[in-house]
Amino acid sequence: MSPADLLLGRKTFDIFTSYWPQHADNWPGINEVNKYVVSRTHKKSDWMNSVFLKGLADIKKLKKPQAAYIKVWGSTNLVQILLKDDLLNESWLNNYPITLGKGKKLFDKGTTPAAFTLTESFVTPGKVIMAHCKRAGKINTGTVGA
Protein backbone atom coordinates (compact mmCIF):
# COMPACT_ATOMS: atom_id res chain seq x y z
CA MET A 1 0.00 0.00 0.00
CA SER A 2 1.39 3.38 -0.92
CA PRO A 3 1.68 5.67 2.10
CA ALA A 4 -1.81 7.07 2.63
CA ASP A 5 -4.34 7.35 5.39
CA LEU A 6 -7.87 6.11 4.75
CA LEU A 7 -11.15 8.00 4.97
CA LEU A 8 -14.06 5.58 5.29
CA GLY A 9 -17.78 5.66 5.77
CA ARG A 10 -19.20 3.64 8.64
CA LYS A 11 -20.51 0.77 6.51
CA THR A 12 -17.21 0.31 4.66
CA PHE A 13 -15.34 0.56 7.97
CA ASP A 14 -17.51 -2.23 9.42
CA ILE A 15 -16.67 -4.44 6.42
CA PHE A 16 -12.95 -3.58 6.61
CA THR A 17 -12.64 -4.04 10.38
CA SER A 18 -14.22 -7.49 10.21
CA TYR A 19 -11.57 -8.66 7.72
CA TRP A 20 -8.35 -6.62 7.39
CA PRO A 21 -6.96 -6.72 10.95
CA GLN A 22 -6.59 -10.51 10.60
CA HIS A 23 -5.49 -10.48 6.93
CA ALA A 24 -2.97 -7.63 6.78
CA ASP A 25 -0.50 -9.86 4.91
CA ASN A 26 -2.77 -9.36 1.86
CA TRP A 27 -2.58 -5.54 2.20
CA PRO A 28 0.72 -4.56 3.84
CA GLY A 29 0.38 -1.40 5.90
CA ILE A 30 -3.40 -1.51 6.33
CA ASN A 31 -3.18 -1.85 10.11
CA GLU A 32 -0.55 0.89 10.50
CA VAL A 33 -2.22 3.73 8.54
CA ASN A 34 -4.72 6.10 10.12
CA LYS A 35 -8.29 5.10 9.40
CA TYR A 36 -10.59 8.13 9.62
CA VAL A 37 -14.18 6.96 9.96
CA VAL A 38 -17.21 9.20 9.46
CA SER A 39 -19.89 7.87 11.78
CA ARG A 40 -22.69 9.14 13.97
CA THR A 41 -22.91 5.85 15.87
CA HIS A 42 -19.35 4.53 16.28
CA LYS A 43 -17.03 6.21 18.77
CA LYS A 44 -14.17 3.71 19.09
CA SER A 45 -12.71 0.52 17.68
CA ASP A 46 -10.12 -2.06 18.64
CA TRP A 47 -8.56 -1.73 15.16
CA MET A 48 -5.38 0.27 15.66
CA ASN A 49 -5.20 3.87 14.40
CA SER A 50 -8.96 4.25 13.94
CA VAL A 51 -10.10 7.86 14.40
CA PHE A 52 -13.80 8.73 14.39
CA LEU A 53 -15.14 11.87 12.76
CA LYS A 54 -18.59 13.33 13.32
CA GLY A 55 -19.17 14.98 9.96
CA LEU A 56 -18.17 17.45 7.28
CA ALA A 57 -16.39 19.91 9.59
CA ASP A 58 -14.08 17.12 10.80
CA ILE A 59 -13.42 16.01 7.21
CA LYS A 60 -12.48 19.57 6.21
CA LYS A 61 -9.93 19.68 9.05
CA LEU A 62 -8.14 16.71 7.43
CA LYS A 63 -7.71 18.58 4.14
CA LYS A 64 -4.76 20.83 4.90
CA PRO A 65 -1.57 21.37 2.87
CA GLN A 66 0.60 19.54 5.39
CA ALA A 67 -1.84 16.65 5.79
CA ALA A 68 -1.02 13.12 4.74
CA TYR A 69 -2.35 11.72 1.49
CA ILE A 70 -5.85 10.36 2.15
CA LYS A 71 -7.67 7.69 0.14
CA VAL A 72 -11.36 6.81 0.23
CA TRP A 73 -12.30 3.18 -0.48
CA GLY A 74 -15.90 2.31 -1.28
CA SER A 75 -18.04 4.53 0.93
CA THR A 76 -20.41 5.82 -1.75
CA ASN A 77 -22.42 7.98 0.65
CA LEU A 78 -19.20 9.60 1.86
CA VAL A 79 -17.94 10.11 -1.70
CA GLN A 80 -21.20 11.89 -2.56
CA ILE A 81 -20.60 14.28 0.35
CA LEU A 82 -17.04 14.89 -0.84
CA LEU A 83 -18.28 15.57 -4.40
CA LYS A 84 -21.04 17.88 -3.20
CA ASP A 85 -18.66 19.92 -1.06
CA ASP A 86 -15.86 19.95 -3.65
CA LEU A 87 -13.41 18.03 -1.44
CA LEU A 88 -12.21 15.46 -3.97
CA ASN A 89 -8.83 16.08 -5.64
CA GLU A 90 -8.49 12.86 -7.57
CA SER A 91 -10.23 9.57 -8.07
CA TRP A 92 -9.89 6.03 -9.33
CA LEU A 93 -13.06 5.07 -11.15
CA ASN A 94 -13.55 1.40 -11.89
CA ASN A 95 -15.90 0.48 -14.73
CA TYR A 96 -17.08 -3.13 -14.53
CA PRO A 97 -18.39 -4.86 -17.68
CA ILE A 98 -21.87 -5.44 -16.29
CA THR A 99 -25.11 -3.51 -15.87
CA LEU A 100 -27.44 -4.28 -13.03
CA GLY A 101 -30.20 -1.79 -13.78
CA LYS A 102 -30.40 -0.70 -10.15
CA GLY A 103 -28.06 0.57 -7.51
CA LYS A 104 -26.51 3.70 -6.09
CA LYS A 105 -25.60 6.59 -8.32
CA LEU A 106 -22.11 7.94 -7.72
CA PHE A 107 -22.78 11.34 -9.27
CA ASP A 108 -26.13 12.00 -7.65
CA LYS A 109 -27.98 15.23 -6.93
CA GLY A 110 -25.82 18.00 -5.53
CA THR A 111 -22.48 17.03 -7.05
CA THR A 112 -20.39 20.17 -7.58
CA PRO A 113 -19.27 20.43 -11.22
CA ALA A 114 -15.50 19.91 -11.49
CA ALA A 115 -12.98 19.21 -14.23
CA PHE A 116 -10.69 16.19 -14.04
CA THR A 117 -7.85 14.96 -16.26
CA LEU A 118 -7.19 11.29 -16.93
CA THR A 119 -3.64 10.61 -15.66
CA GLU A 120 -3.50 6.86 -16.18
CA SER A 121 -5.76 3.97 -17.02
CA PHE A 122 -5.62 0.25 -17.63
CA VAL A 123 -7.83 -2.77 -18.11
CA THR A 124 -7.56 -5.66 -15.66
CA PRO A 125 -7.52 -9.32 -16.78
CA GLY A 126 -11.22 -9.41 -15.77
CA LYS A 127 -11.89 -6.50 -18.20
CA VAL A 128 -12.47 -3.89 -15.48
CA ILE A 129 -11.45 -0.46 -16.76
CA MET A 130 -9.59 1.47 -14.06
CA ALA A 131 -9.14 5.20 -14.60
CA HIS A 132 -7.11 7.56 -12.41
CA CYS A 133 -8.25 11.19 -12.69
CA LYS A 134 -6.92 14.37 -11.03
CA ARG A 135 -8.51 17.79 -10.62
CA ALA A 136 -7.88 20.02 -13.62
CA GLY A 137 -8.93 23.62 -13.12
CA LYS A 138 -11.96 25.10 -14.84
CA ILE A 139 -14.58 23.09 -16.66
CA ASN A 140 -14.29 23.28 -20.45
CA THR A 141 -17.36 22.20 -22.35
CA GLY A 142 -17.25 21.18 -25.97
CA THR A 143 -17.62 18.18 -28.20
CA VAL A 144 -16.38 14.67 -27.59
CA GLY A 145 -12.79 14.38 -28.82
CA ALA A 146 -12.19 18.13 -28.70
Side-chain angles (χ1 to χ4, degrees):
M1 179 177 175
S2 60
D5 290 335
L6 300 178
L7 177 60
L8 305 168
R10 196 246 335 135
K11 292 176 188 174
T12 301
F13 178 77
D14 287 346
I15 294 166
F16 275 31
T17 196
S18 69
Y19 180 81
W20 286 115
Q22 299 81 26
H23 299 90
D25 52 323
N26 294 323
W27 189 351
I30 185 65
N31 287 330
E32 290 72 31
V33 300
N34 291 318
K35 283 136 325 252
Y36 297 104
V37 185
V38 181
S39 176
R40 291 184 199 107
T41 57
H42 288 25
K43 305 280 189 244
K44 64 178 183 168
S45 172
D46 292 334
W47 193 13
M48 69 170 65
N49 301 323
S50 296
V51 178
F52 290 87
L53 309 176
K54 293 179 182 171
L56 188 58
D58 289 339
I59 295 169
K60 287 181 178 180
K61 290 177 189 175
L62 295 176
K63 191 171 176 171
K64 295 182 179 181
Q66 73 277 11
Y69 192 70
I70 300 173
K71 292 183 178 180
V72 178
W73 283 82
S75 307
T76 55
N77 292 337
L78 174 58
V79 169
Q80 288 176 351
I81 291 168
L82 298 175
L83 288 168
K84 180 181 178 196
D85 288 280
D86 199 21
L87 294 172
L88 195 67
N89 293 331
E90 61 183 88
S91 67
W92 274 98
L93 295 175
N94 302 336
N95 188 342
Y96 293 81
I98 186 172
T99 56
L100 300 175
K102 293 185 178 186
K104 288 187 174 187
K105 296 178 182 175
L106 179 59
F107 304 107
D108 206 4
K109 299 173 190 167
T111 297
T112 299
F116 289 84
T117 298
L118 180 66
T119 58
E120 67 179 297
S121 64
F122 61 92
V123 179
T124 70
K127 305 302 181 206
V128 175
I129 301 167
M130 301 184 81
H132 183 207
C133 302
K134 290 188 177 186
R135 283 301 292 268
K138 293 185 178 185
I139 297 173
N140 293 318
T141 58
T143 60
V144 175

